[in-house]
């Protein structure tokens, strides 16, 4: 039994090593003066400096952020409305909507990317023909860019909003809403004063999920972006050059940012839990004193 | 509650236009030629690429199996830890997932290169250098590294629900470790196993980045073929659509083996 436990501990360490070693190596090399990955020559920060002066990366970061916030906001609003609407549907209609919503989730990303690309290609030709006919001259429309990217990101974000908000809505006590109506709210007021506050945590987490999926997405953007570059696409074009130490510096920065965000969120979470626990203990103590 | 179905209409219109219609277009392209006439040629032409399809399936199956073998004991240990340690370990395991997968794959390029860190380390003992990168092994490694957490998470979730007294009962009744695993743990975590298999297999079989970055030019997968038809040099939307259709069929077949009901799908999300 003891030996098994030791073995388990060793295994755990090996697996953590497997998960972190590549990232650790990337970060270590970001401080390497030599461009070659074979030798570590001298400690330097110059790759970070070059990264800060790299217009392609900075521009793509801006594009990624704009697309992420815009698509997450639109998807959250449309998806939340859909969750409310779907909640009032018959069982069969609801199942039909859910099945349609599962398609982008289950489909391999490359298929979603390719199918959207084909849609935009067909759309371009149709628009070109339309405008050519209208203007009587050969016009070619190329809509690939920020708008197609935005549409694609909204598309793969939407189901996650629905799946996040719908269960919360179903679990909600209908009587709270009805009580609001009895107390003189009209349905609209009851929705904004009673239902929406109940749903806020789910909506917020849906928004954050959309944000991370959108910033992280490469495959679907790759097929729908035309010549516009998001951050992952810029990273991809850099990896094609085989050796570019700026990627290492970028990885290091992203890792630190992610680490801070996650540790921060965790700390907030556990602080809230501790507060709740303390409140619960306090209640118990008071109840005990009264008894 | 609020019986206003029309609130869902923007969503439904959006889903039809950007999910259903694009798939219909893929099917249309798959069965037509460049001039829009009906043809089965695209589907037939896939036959020339049988070796690529076979390679994709084999590599994805190997990667999924490796993930399952690696994740099973890890998830079990995780599920038996103290609650506070559990959440910390889980965070440690999921953290690398937050890095973009291009960066994670790029990291392995650094390690596996001919004069990369692994070969230099082996060189200290006078072994190698080996051809590590641009092999099918490197592609499998990339898949395992990228998708392992997708296997750990569902396994861990289901294993936390296994009552320790069930395991103790089996031990009291004389079951050895192996029998506890085969007769108790595996049957009780079957739902997690099937979910994990789908979640690793689907991205593995459809990847084109991992094979391109770690497999060199010689380990083309289905994903690479499709990408070549749409954005690469081959440039044949019709053939690419037929291949996409084929990939979808493979994925659906895999899912029909592993997912029994819609509740499980909901758990996957």
């Amino acid at each position: 039994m003891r030996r098994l436990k030791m073995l388990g501990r060793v295994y755990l360490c090996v697996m953590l090593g497997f998960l972190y070693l590549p990232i650790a190596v990337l970060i270590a090399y970001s401080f390497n003066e030599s461009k070659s990955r074979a030798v570590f020559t001298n400690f330097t920060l110059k790759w970070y400096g070059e990264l800060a002066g790299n217009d392609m990366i900075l521009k793509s970061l801006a594009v990624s952020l704009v697309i992420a916030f815009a698509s997450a906001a639109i998807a959250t609003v449309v998806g939340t409305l859909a969750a409310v609407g779907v909640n009032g549907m018959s069982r069969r209609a609801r199942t039909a909507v859910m099945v349609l919503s599962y398609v982008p989730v289950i489909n391999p990303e490359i298929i979603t990317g390719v199918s959207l690309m084909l849609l935009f290609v067909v759309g371009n030709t149709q628009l070109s023909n339309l405008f050519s006919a209208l203007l009587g001259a050969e016009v070619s429309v190329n809509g690939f860019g920020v708008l197609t990217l935005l549409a694609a990101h909204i598309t793969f974000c939407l189901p996650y909003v629905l799946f996040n908000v719908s269960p919360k809505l179903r679990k909600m006590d209908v009587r709270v809403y009805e009580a609001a109506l009895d107390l003189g709210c009209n349905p609209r007021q009851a929705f904004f004063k009673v239902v929406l506050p109940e749903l806020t945590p789910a909506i917020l987490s849906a928004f954050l999920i959309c944000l991370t999926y959108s910033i992280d997405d490469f495959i679907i953007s790759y097929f729908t972006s035309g010549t516009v570059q998001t951050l992952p696409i810029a990273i991809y074009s850099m990896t094609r050059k085989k050796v570019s130490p700026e990627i290492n510096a970028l990885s290091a920065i992203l890792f630190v940012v992610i680490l801070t965000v996650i540790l921060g969120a965790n700390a907030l979470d556990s602080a809230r839990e501790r507060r709740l626990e303390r409140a619960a203990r306090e209640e118990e103590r008071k109840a005990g004193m009264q008894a | 509650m609020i019986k206003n179905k029309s609130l869902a209409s923007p969503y439904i219109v959006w889903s039809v236009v950007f999910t259903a219609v694009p798939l219909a277009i893929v099917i249309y392209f798959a069965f037509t030629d460049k001039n829009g006439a009906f043809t089965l040629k695209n589907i037939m032409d896939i036959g020339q690429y049988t070796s690529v399809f076979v390679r994709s399936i084999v590599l994805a199956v190997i990667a999924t199996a490796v993930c399952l073998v690696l994740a099973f004991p890890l998830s079990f240990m995780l599920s038996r830890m103290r609650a506070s340690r559990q959440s910390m370990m889980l965070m440690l395991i999921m953290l690398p997932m937050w890095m973009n997968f291009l960066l994670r794959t790029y990291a392995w390029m650094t390690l596996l290169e001919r004069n990369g860190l692994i070969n230099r380390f082996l060189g200290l003992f006078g072994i190698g250098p080996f051809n590590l990168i641009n092999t099918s092994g490197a592609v499998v490694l990339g898949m395992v590294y990228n998708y392992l957490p997708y296997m750990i998470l569902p396994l861990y979730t289901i294993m936390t629900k296994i009552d320790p007294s069930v395991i103790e009962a089996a031990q009291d009744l004389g079951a050895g470790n192996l029998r506890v695993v085969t007769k108790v743990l595996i049957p009780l975590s079957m739902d997690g196993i099937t979910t994990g298999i789908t979640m690793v297999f689907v991205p593995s079989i459809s990847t084109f980045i991992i094979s391109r970055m770690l497999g060199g030019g010689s380990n083309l997968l289905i994903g690479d073929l499709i990408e070549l038809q749409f954005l690469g040099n081959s440039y044949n939307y019709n053939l690419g659509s037929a291949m996409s259709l084929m990939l979808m069929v493979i994925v659906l077949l895999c899912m029909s083996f592993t997912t029994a009901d819609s509740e499980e799908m909901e758990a996957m999300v």
Side-chain angles (χ1 to χ4, degrees), chain A residues 11 19-20 37-38 101 222, chain B residues 11 70 92 113 120 145 227:
Chain A
Y11 182 64
L19 286 173
Y20 281 93
R37 283 178 291 200
S101 308
Y222 180 66
Chain B
Y11 174 78
L70 289 180
L92 268 180
E113 267 183 337
R120 291 176 61 85
Y145 183 70
E227 195 264 346

Side-chain angles (χ1 to χ4, degrees), chain A residues 107-108 110-112 114-115 118, chain B residues 20-32 38-40 42-44 46 53 205-206 222-223 225-226 229-230 236-253:
Chain A
N107 243 347
I110 188 171
I111 306 272
T112 307
V114 160
S115 66
L118 281 180
Chain B
V21 172
L23 288 182
I25 297 178
V26 169
I27 295 172
Y28 172 80
F29 270 83
F31 288 102
T32 50
F38 176 81
T39 175
L40 287 174
N42 303 315
I43 305 284
M44 299 301 180
I46 292 179
F53 274 75
I205 197 167
S206 57
I222 304 175
L225 280 187
I226 296 176
Q229 308 307 321
F230 284 96
N236 183 346
Y237 290 170
N238 303 92
L239 183 58
S241 296
M243 289 167 172
S244 307
L245 210 56
M246 200 66 182
L247 176 59
M248 255 176 356
V249 170
I250 295 173
V251 167
L252 284 179
L253 274 179

Side-chain angles (χ1 to χ4, degrees), chain A residues 51 54-61 217-218 222 225-247 250, chain B residues 100-103 106 109 208-209 212-213 227:
Chain A
L51 191 69
N54 188 328
D55 277 342
M56 183 185 82
I57 288 286
L58 294 179
K59 229 179 115 186
S60 66
L61 177 65
D217 173 73
F218 166 73
Y222 180 66
S225 62
T227 52
V228 176
Q229 284 194 323
T230 64
L231 185 59
I233 294 176
I235 291 173
Y236 176 66
S237 70
M238 284 171 88
T239 63
R240 302 301 290 161
K241 282 186 285 182
K242 291 280 179 196
V243 185
S244 46
E246 290 165 344
I247 293 188
L250 185 67
Chain B
N100 192 281
F101 85 107
L102 290 165
L103 293 176
Y106 177 77
M109 281 172 76
F208 65 96
I209 290 301
R212 183 156 310 164
M213 285 168 84
E227 195 264 346

Side-chain angles (χ1 to χ4, degrees), chain A:
Chain A
M1 211 52 221
R2 237 228 178 102
R3 264 192 31 219
L4 208 62
K5 219 169 198 166
M6 267 302 284
L7 208 67
R9 206 157 282 169
V10 170
Y11 182 64
L12 202 64
C13 291
V14 170
M15 288 311 283
L16 284 178
F18 173 63
L19 286 173
Y20 281 93
L21 197 69
I23 298 174
V25 169
L26 270 196
I27 295 178
Y29 274 117
S30 74
F31 301 112
N32 184 12
E33 181 157 26
S34 158
K35 204 167 175 165
S36 149
R37 283 178 291 200
V39 277
F40 197 100
T41 45
N42 254 322
F43 181 89
T44 178
L45 288 174
K46 77 170 172 190
W47 302 118
Y48 289 86
E50 288 201 7
L51 191 69
N54 188 328
D55 277 342
M56 183 185 82
I57 288 286
L58 294 179
K59 229 179 115 186
S60 66
L61 177 65
V63 170
S64 268
L65 287 176
V66 168
I67 296 277
F69 275 95
S71 63
I74 296 171
T76 307
V77 172
V78 175
T80 304
L81 286 179
V84 176
V86 167
N87 199 44
M89 284 179 177
S90 68
R91 217 188 148 69
R92 268 181 70 190
R94 193 159 63 202
T95 314
V97 176
M98 284 301 176
V99 167
L100 185 62
S101 308
Y102 274 121
V103 172
V105 177
I106 292 168
N107 243 347
E109 279 178 303
I110 188 171
I111 306 272
T112 307
V114 160
S115 66
L116 281 167
M117 179 183 167
L118 281 180
L119 176 78
F120 299 141
V121 166
V122 170
N124 277 340
T125 6
Q126 295 300 333
L127 284 178
S128 301
N129 290 345
L130 182 73
F131 284 130
S132 301
L134 280 178
L135 301 170
E138 197 66 23
V139 183
S140 110
V141 177
N142 184 1
F144 277 100
V146 175
L147 279 182
T148 50
L149 257 181
L150 191 63
H153 281 226
I154 293 171
T155 306
F156 70 72
C157 282
L158 269 174
Y160 293 101
V161 181
L162 189 66
F163 294 146
N164 242 286
V165 180
S166 258
K168 281 276 145 41
L169 203 59
R170 242 177 293 163
K171 264 187 237 149
M172 222 186 105
D173 195 342
V174 190
R175 286 170 298 183
V176 186
Y177 173 73
E178 286 165 356
L181 291 183
D182 285 346
L183 291 171
C185 279
N186 60 31
R188 196 193 183 77
Q189 284 171 322
F191 177 76
F192 281 107
K193 285 188 190 288
V194 176
V195 180
L196 205 57
E198 280 285 297
L199 294 181
T200 306
I203 295 173
L204 215 61
S205 79
F207 179 77
L208 289 178
I209 289 173
C210 293
L211 216 55
T212 47
Y213 277 141
S214 172
I215 290 181
D216 203 45
D217 173 73
F218 166 73
I219 296 174
I220 296 171
S221 310
Y222 180 66
F223 285 101
T224 53
S225 62
T227 52
V228 176
Q229 284 194 323
T230 64
L231 185 59
I233 294 176
I235 291 173
Y236 176 66
S237 70
M238 284 171 88
T239 63
R240 302 301 290 161
K241 282 186 285 182
K242 291 280 179 196
V243 185
S244 46
E246 290 165 344
I247 293 188
N248 301 341
L250 185 67
S251 306
I253 293 174
L254 286 179
F255 189 74
V256 171
V257 169
I258 291 162
L259 196 64
T260 322
V261 169
I262 290 187
L263 285 182
N266 246 45
L268 277 179
D269 247 20
S270 56
R272 198 177 55 204
E273 246 163 61
R274 270 203 301 278
R275 232 182 5 252
L276 285 176
E277 246 168 57
R278 210 177 313 137
R281 265 207 307 276
E282 195 78 353
E283 288 283 311
E284 250 170 56
R285 203 171 53 90
K286 270 188 204 152
M289 267 163 63
Q290 273 163 6

Side-chain angles (χ1 to χ4, degrees), chain B residues 10 12 57 62 82 96-97 102 109 149 159 174 178 211 217 226 240 255 265 268:
Chain B
I12 293 171
I57 295 172
I62 294 175
R82 271 184 285 120
M97 286 300 284
L102 290 165
M109 281 172 76
M159 281 173 171
L178 190 68
S211 46
I226 296 176
M255 307 251 322
M265 286 205 292
M268 268 170 49

